[in-house]
Amino acid sequence: MSRKYVYHFSEGGKEMLDLLGGKGANLAEMAGLGLPVPPGFTITTEACREYYRLGGRLPDGLEDEIMAALRALEGETGKTFGGARRPLLVSVRSGAAVSMPGMMDTVLNLGLNDDAIEGLYDLTRDRRFVLDCYRRFIQMFGNVVLRLDHAEFERALTRRKDLAGVVRDQEMDAGVLESVVDDFRQLVRRLTGEEFPRDPRVQLLMAVRAVFESWNNQRAIVYRRVNKIPDDLGTAVTVQSMVFGNMGDDSATGVVFTRNPSTGAPELYGEYLTNAQGEDVVAGIRTPRPISEMAAAMPDAYSRLAEACSLLESHYRDMQDIEFTVEKGRLYLLQTRSAKRTATAAVRVAVDFVREGKIGRDEALMMVEPDHVVKMLHRGIDPSAKVDVLAVGLPASPGAATGVVVFDADRAEALGQDGESVILVRPETTPDDMHGVVYSQGILTSRGGMTCHAAIVARGMGKPCVVGCDALKIDVRERLFTVGSRVVREGDVISIDGASGWVILGAVPVIDPKLSSEFKSLLEWADGVRRLGVRANADTPADARKAREFGAEGIGLCRTEHMFMQADRLPIVQEMILAAGAEERRSALDRLLPIQQKDFEEILEAMRGLPVTIRLLDPPLHEFLPNTEELVVQIAEARTQGMAGADIEKKEELLKKARALAESNPMLGFRGCRLGVVYPEIYEMQARAIFTATAALIKRGITDVMPEVMIPLVGHHLEIRMMKELVERTAEEVSRAQGVRVPCVVGTMIEVPRAALTADEIAEHAEFFSFGTNDLTQTTFGFSRDDAEAKFLHDYIQKKVLPDNPFAVLDERGVGRLVRMAVELGRSVKPALKIGICGEHGGEPRSIGFCHRAGLDYVSCSPFRVPVARLAAAQTALRERGAAAAS
Amino acid sequence: MSRKYVYHFSEGGKEMLDLLGGKGANLAEMAGLGLPVPPGFTITTEACREYYRLGGRLPDGLEDEIMAALRALEGETGKTFGGARRPLLVSVRSGAAVSMPGMMDTVLNLGLNDDAIEGLYDLTRDRRFVLDCYRRFIQMFGNVVLRLDHAEFERALTRRKDLAGVVRDQEMDAGVLESVVDDFRQLVRRLTGEEFPRDPRVQLLMAVRAVFESWNNQRAIVYRRVNKIPDDLGTAVTVQSMVFGNMGDDSATGVVFTRNPSTGAPELYGEYLTNAQGEDVVAGIRTPRPISEMAAAMPDAYSRLAEACSLLESHYRDMQDIEFTVEKGRLYLLQTRSAKRTATAAVRVAVDFVREGKIGRDEALMMVEPDHVVKMLHRGIDPSAKVDVLAVGLPASPGAATGVVVFDADRAEALGQDGESVILVRPETTPDDMHGVVYSQGILTSRGGMTCHAAIVARGMGKPCVVGCDALKIDVRERLFTVGSRVVREGDVISIDGASGWVILGAVPVIDPKLSSEFKSLLEWADGVRRLGVRANADTPADARKAREFGAEGIGLCRTEHMFMQADRLPIVQEMILAAGAEERRSALDRLLPIQQKDFEEILEAMRGLPVTIRLLDPPLHEFLPNTEELVVQIAEARTQGMAGADIEKKEELLKKARALAESNPMLGFRGCRLGVVYPEIYEMQARAIFTATAALIKRGITDVMPEVMIPLVGHHLEIRMMKELVERTAEEVSRAQGVRVPCVVGTMIEVPRAALTADEIAEHAEFFSFGTNDLTQTTFGFSRDDAEAKFLHDYIQKKVLPDNPFAVLDERGVGRLVRMAVELGRSVKPALKIGICGEHGGEPRSIGFCHRAGLDYVSCSPFRVPVARLAAAQTALRERGAAAAS
């Protein structure tokens, strides 16, 4: 008993997508709807898979099935395949379950031979048309099926045109075309040593094989790799009787979108060409006309098309992209599929569909790709502007920015504080540059990958950033960079576009992002559906306000180290670090206290009514000191230049201290709560600043402030216990001193494996968990993020050793397992434990889905990702509901 | 109903150790055996705990119980406490369940007052003796109970001696002593404002409190922290009627070991002093005589003592350390306890006990501490030698070595290859120095902690090493180091002792380690009991042979990177690293192939018949390149000195490449199998070298070679799958080319959390697992070993945030959980999966116990740890058997 490999359109439907491919399934569906579809049948993807399994042989029985289907098709059309009377011509098209536009092969007009052209002439009385079909067929078949060089045919064609003294294809008359056909057949004979196959059945079987083979052509393989489409799906083959849009001025071919794919506006959008076949549109020889003009030119066909569009949209519950042909005034539909659209259009279409009663809200929510809408949430270059692109780097953080070039963080900060727009340009950034980043409009680096320091920081702050732009040769000393022979100096104006990676000379007009009213509606619907809370990672009052505007329900991660980096604080921070003992350290901390307090007051006030999770100091202290290598160079130069001994000694002292703090693996070093355990006075100062800020706000009548203190890098329950005692004691002291009861909530990051493995012990001392999945991914894989990106991760993904960059998409199998363990262990001792995530995965849709399934309470992401997260959280809730209903 | 706080000796026994403390329990035990013990009673540790729980108040009922016990003691001895006739004197001694020698307080001769001294005189007719007892008592009570300054009493005593014109205490006659007693009482009155307490019951209760209080004196707290004794055990108090060794020449006091504590020889060993009390022995005023002389001097007491020793040894099934007093020819035993002994003695005693039929082999195995015998396994300084200790550093790797001072690795290698004994002296070592380490006898550094690079490498190789010796000021340029004003130049001879941390000027006589015949017997018994296999980590044929000699059953980790470090290979390795493309790289690899092959041939031959697990290249490539900071200095100097541009450019090129390879966190960087995935040709070369070596041996008739190829740092199953395919393909090729079937076994390290979390997937492609618990500990905790040791781990242990250094003792709760998961997951898909450990924990007894319980097949450790592991593995098996029998 063999499988069924061939389905007539009447036997298929859109639910058979996997078996019949997108094209075959939708043609069958349209036929079932009674729409005018030229009859045909589809050979299944299973046949293709079997073909490969058999090492490139058509499976047993397939040929018989095809021939039977062909006979049925002859009956249906009243035509004969290869017949001299009413010949049946067919198209043979590829079509996988996943759209791979243009990647695989197609043969049109198949069935023509010397007999059939006579029959076709009888039908059409148009010799030129018939011969044109024939030469096109031989050329296409020769190229696609016989794998002959396209250029050989073009050369032969050109020679004939030269002989005939014509320039354009359309100018060839029947006589010329007849010679072309002869030449083409000779060409085939010469190149293959065989005659061009006359038997249309042979032609068909050869074409089917060729389409199967095209599944594995180079560009299809690359396309699948890029788009992460599995290699083992295979393609279906649809064989359909030909209709001709090139049978006169009452014939046409075209493409229509049921709505405007840019804006989503409810209007037919597309173009058509009279007296033409599809390939003419592609070739761009004649300029197609906008679809709206068809209403006047071909009113009948147009109104039928409009009806079909409306019917298909309602039927598919989605905006469609339709190919059609008009043959002598009669409309035929050749393909329909879900239409590609901009994010703006996707949102508008989804919301309009609900308003039009076509779909419900839940369905609308599922129609918009969360990743897609990211693009709507950043400032972008006005698409109508002319720009001078200097170079292209990696698009690290979307958004466009214009400003003067500045080569160091101090100057960036100075100019930025003066209100100047600045683009900070560095070979790469380090945490030392943070204060400059804060005051810049955009960041541009010549080194680094998508997840280098600059990229991460910029994304976190929603600032445009282009990295790894290695065409830039930066000379920091001379304060200029060159691109080829062009020189850009400090103070020159450039623009960057972090969505495209463009570096542009001069200013560009920039468009502000805004949430359209449709998008707002969609997000409100999402809020009604999702179970996950959505917070934002924000370190400044400005970020906090942006987060609120985008719908964040609190701050999930407020980093305090950025506050340490600003120019007025860094010297005090360095003094604290270099302190000889606890007393000297405490004196520096005393001066930091009021500054930190002010920071916290502003953020807490901006987020009143919502929780603000403040993480105590996390990075290793040496990040606040100058670079040792620079010091070494300075000392070496000073020595050889005979500088005064005392000056050298001073530098050597600084170097000694920086060296003493330097670490082999800072990521795994003296940071996080390890600082708090060894120097409790640092964390105590921070806790005091938080609680004093809280008390001050309460005294000012702002009583709904909700600080939450988060201890980073906990790996052992005694760490959190000790730190919690410290924070609680400080809250107690502040409450007493200020005469106001301040709320004290203490929780921990879960960001090293040991924390997850012992989450039950840790939960005893924590009121909340927040997964720091950036670090957790680093430690679980043993990947240093900086090093992995630059050195081997690219290779890993290319060689398919890893499916995704685990820093972008949470690794469910490994890191996710630790997350699930921690949730389970934590709740086993504290059922009401609040659990969130504040790693960058918190803004990534697939990872958000995982967070939902793992039972987290909220995700926290950069402010610009908040709408994305709201939508993704709703979708995952809907998917879960769907799965529950289905089971 | 109150608890019972006081136990008469007849009510106790050695099984009541926790309640009565070591001293009380053993006195009761001896009394029960019918041995001559002065009667007495013990106040329980529970009373002490209750005392603290009540905030420093004697628990209700305790006083009554003490008085009742005292009355019973009066009845038993026929004496009266404080009585003018036959006065009862007692000692009041501390005694916890765990021995804390000398840490807590004792009061002797308690019960004396003006009445009692008359009674005592009636009994002894020795006025001088009585007054001497009295003044000693006041002094001791004043110091211990009343907390008066010892020096005050000494000053008063000295004044009296001066007045009397005597020098030594014994020279004071009764008259002088009477004045001393008067002075002491006045002193007490002056300092406390009160009379010295006359009522002996009051004295006793005060003394009991004082002993309780001494549990928390400073030195006891420190001692407990150092020895990891819990703080909440409390001490018992033993009250015992006094006997006097100072009642004439037929009286004596002494200490005896039942065997020689240095050698374990079966002879009484100890010393005694006639006409003396215990404190005289301690004071060292008179020189005690060896116990053997007592046989002639006090034959009767001696023979009773010998009988008691024999009886106690058999009864306790262990060598004892006994305190005794002879009062007027009559022997009294005052204490017995398990005797401290050297490792040599411990082994000999255990084996002799079996031979004497005292205990069985299993019991003997449990008598020797595995950690203790480490000391027997290294070369040591002849203890009889006179040495000039220059400085003392951290004892990082035991053993003694003598050689010429050399300040860089290249020269160390050159001299070492010429057969010179070298001590490599560096501020600290890096992997760049490996080739020098290989050819040195010992390593000395001025920086670094117990787990710095030098320490780890040296321990791994069993080489003596002293680190962190900061008294050394090393000037590498001048090729000398100074210690204070002393200067040691390159070429001078020094010695180091890695067990004591000593740095010694000149050569010292060194003694070779050997396994005594007793130790060999013990280890053979261990082999019969243990379930865990024991392999060694060995990288050279010499190490391999040493491992075999010590009983290793294979090599569990043969690192191949050390082979890359040697001077003849490093340039080729660097060439490979700097190669522009795969071809250039392959050319360098082709030259490395025969060198590696020879390495493997030698090791495989040395281990014939046993498995040899060879780990493919693991460290990041930049470890093979020069240090970037040094290059930077060279370039800066060259620039200011106007060196030729071409030379500078060359250095800059090298710097650029070294920088490109430099990593932020090399521990988590481009290393392990990541090298193999990105540059398959490196691993292929290594696999080819292994299999070609194997084939060569087989062809030479050595057919029992068992190489196992180990892939490092696997975190994803596709990594091991890809690497396994590569290795198997190479084995296939070598088999074909050589015409010999080579065995191909491929397994993986489990050293990042993700590997453990996905061990089921990984096990599909691995024939064995080997836990790399050094790295697994780093990634699970998020601790960089180098950084943690230097920066915060010490603080963590001091503040009790961590119980142990997790790099020394495996963290069962966190890292151990991952190990157990991996074992379970791995065996769930491959029940026969071979699982071992090759981290340093594999040689640590407690961690070995964990490995046994977690179901591992073997541990692998440094060759010198192999006997330790054999013993520890046997002990853990015996403990398990004991637990099973008990349940």
Side-chain angles (χ1 to χ4, degrees), chain A residues 557-573:
Chain A
L557 174 62
C558 173
R559 283 163 289 222
T560 53
E561 50 269 26
H562 297 171
M563 303 174 183
F564 277 37
M565 293 287 186
Q566 287 170 46
D568 55 336
R569 297 134 189 230
L570 199 56
I572 313 179
V573 173

Side-chain angles (χ1 to χ4, degrees), chain B residues 181-418:
Chain B
V181 167
D182 275 347
D183 289 353
F184 278 8
R185 284 197 295 205
Q186 278 182 38
L187 184 64
V188 169
R189 202 180 308 126
R190 178 165 64 77
L191 294 176
T192 67
E194 291 183 35
E195 284 297 327
F196 186 85
R198 287 182 52 96
D199 182 345
R201 285 176 173 74
V202 171
Q203 292 172 1
L204 179 58
L205 291 178
M206 289 174 79
V208 168
R209 281 173 153 283
V211 173
F212 282 168
E213 288 288 335
S214 71
W215 172 254
N216 272 342
N217 68 34
Q218 202 50 43
R219 65 180 190 275
I221 289 173
V222 170
Y223 184 88
R224 285 198 297 271
R225 181 185 301 154
V226 171
N227 291 278
K228 302 201 172 129
I229 299 168
D231 280 332
D232 57 359
L233 296 180
T235 182
V237 184
T238 292
V239 179
Q240 188 177 24
S241 60
M242 291 289 300
V243 288
F244 299 96
N246 53 348
M247 290 182 79
D249 289 342
D250 55 353
S251 298
T253 188
V255 173
V256 68
F257 289 81
T258 57
R259 314 231 158 184
N260 185 312
S262 292
T263 64
E267 62 197 11
L268 292 195
Y269 181 95
E271 46 195 28
Y272 77 110
L273 207 53
T274 49
N275 197 13
Q277 269 197 318
E279 44 175 353
D280 297 324
V281 181
V282 176
I285 296 160
R286 286 157 58 199
T287 304
R289 285 188 279 162
I291 205 85
S292 54
E293 291 183 13
M294 193 178 155
M298 296 180 164
D300 189 45
Y302 182 80
S303 78
R304 282 175 172 243
L305 181 63
E307 276 166 35
C309 284
S310 171
L311 174 62
L312 285 171
E313 218 180 41
S314 299
H315 182 72
Y316 280 96
R317 311 172 80 85
D318 196 6
M319 171 180 166
Q320 296 295 298
D321 160 3
I322 298 165
E323 287 179 21
F324 66 91
T325 286
V326 179
E327 184 183 280
K328 294 189 173 293
R330 188 155 172 215
L331 176 75
Y332 290 96
L333 302 183
L334 297 182
Q335 176 158 320
T336 189
R337 58 185 172 191
S338 175
K340 293 232 186 297
R341 67 207 82 173
T342 64
T344 308
V347 170
R348 169 141 188 207
V349 167
V351 175
D352 280 357
F353 266 42
V354 173
R355 291 183 178 152
E356 293 165 19
K358 283 196 165 73
I359 58 172
R361 289 176 173 189
D362 292 354
E363 205 172 340
L365 285 168
M366 297 305 288
M367 280 177 72
V368 179
E369 266 298 321
D371 265 339
H372 201 178
V373 299
V374 174
K375 298 200 176 96
M376 298 166 65
L377 297 168
H378 295 278
R379 308 179 86 204
I381 297 174
D382 182 342
S384 64
K386 281 230 162 204
V387 296
D388 176 4
V389 178
L390 264 177
V392 180
L394 298 174
S397 177
T402 290
V404 296
V405 170
V406 169
F407 288 99
D408 72 86
D410 292 341
R411 198 168 299 187
E413 187 186 34
L415 290 174
Q417 282 178 327
D418 291 349

Side-chain angles (χ1 to χ4, degrees), chain B residues 454-615:
Chain B
I456 293 169
V457 167
R459 277 199 296 276
M461 304 176 100
K463 269 186 209 290
C465 177
V466 173
V467 300
C469 187
D470 51 18
L472 258 61
K473 305 299 168 207
I474 300 178
D475 189 330
V476 173
R477 281 179 192 224
E478 296 296 326
R479 302 202 160 268
L480 57 80
F481 71 77
T482 55
V483 181
S485 60
R486 303 175 75 169
V487 179
V488 176
R489 296 182 185 281
E490 190 155 89
D492 290 354
V493 172
I494 64 168
S495 303
I496 60 171
D497 178 16
S500 61
W502 285 2
V503 180
I504 297 158
L505 199 61
V508 293
V510 159
I511 302 173
D512 249 353
K514 54 177 184 227
L515 299 189
S516 64
S517 68
E518 285 89 359
F519 197 14
K520 281 186 186 151
S521 298
L522 193 75
L523 290 173
E524 275 160 27
W525 301 344
D527 292 345
V529 165
R530 68 187 160 90
R531 195 197 66 212
L532 272 176
V534 177
R535 298 193 189 181
N537 299 347
D539 308 338
T540 65
D543 282 356
R545 279 186 287 272
K546 178 60 79 182
R548 258 200 121 120
E549 181 192 325
F550 280 171
E553 296 156 324
I555 290 181
L557 174 62
C558 172
R559 283 163 289 221
T560 54
E561 51 268 27
H562 295 170
M563 303 173 183
F564 277 36
M565 294 286 188
Q566 288 170 46
D568 55 336
R569 297 132 188 234
L570 199 56
I572 314 179
V573 173
Q574 292 183 342
E575 208 174 296
M576 171 195 82
I577 294 169
L578 299 178
E583 190 145 343
E584 210 177 303
R585 191 156 44 244
R586 202 174 282 278
S587 136
L589 287 168
D590 284 348
R591 273 172 295 148
L592 283 173
L593 177 64
I595 306 178
Q596 281 252 297
Q597 183 188 327
K598 189 158 166 293
D599 292 330
F600 293 135
E601 245 181 271
E602 287 176 11
I603 287 181
L604 287 168
E605 186 172 359
M607 294 304 284
R608 52 182 301 182
L610 296 175
V612 177
T613 306
I614 300 168
R615 180 176 72 184

